[in-house]
Amino acid sequence: MEFPSKVYITCPVMDFKNVEGSLIAISDDGYYELQIKVREKRHTYMLPITQTALICVDPLLEPSADFEVER
């Protein structure tokens, strides 16, 4: 995963449900560093990894039908 990455954020502690933001970094201290737009201004949030779910905004690309993995 590259930083920054656009993500949807769910965090019950902050009452966030699928809030769009940017993942800036993952702290060794157990926090996600996120930037979230609130009323047209960007704010930095430090949310605990154990209580936060992140979903990448950009979906994975589907491989073509003729794609084969060499084993």
Side-chain angles (χ1 to χ4, degrees):
M1 179 181 284
E2 297 178 11
F3 296 108
S5 289
K6 291 184 180 182
V7 293
Y8 293 118
I9 306 152
T10 299
C11 182
V13 173
M14 295 296 295
D15 199 28
F16 289 163
K17 295 179 184 172
N18 295 325
V19 173
E20 193 168 334
S22 295
L23 175 63
I24 303 302
I26 301 172
S27 165
D28 291 335
D29 296 323
Y31 291 91
Y32 291 122
E33 181 180 344
L34 300 150
Q35 287 187 353
I36 301 169
K37 187 182 275 189
V38 179
R39 295 188 186 119
E40 303 303 318
K41 294 184 180 179
R42 298 183 68 76
H43 296 273
T44 299
Y45 287 81
M46 303 295 282
L47 299 179
I49 292 172
T50 57
Q51 298 176 23
T52 306
L54 302 179
I55 300 171
C56 290
V57 170
D58 299 324
L60 297 173
L61 298 175
E62 292 293 324
S64 63
D66 62 341
F67 178 78
E68 291 184 32
V69 176
E70 187 176 322
R71 296 175 188 219

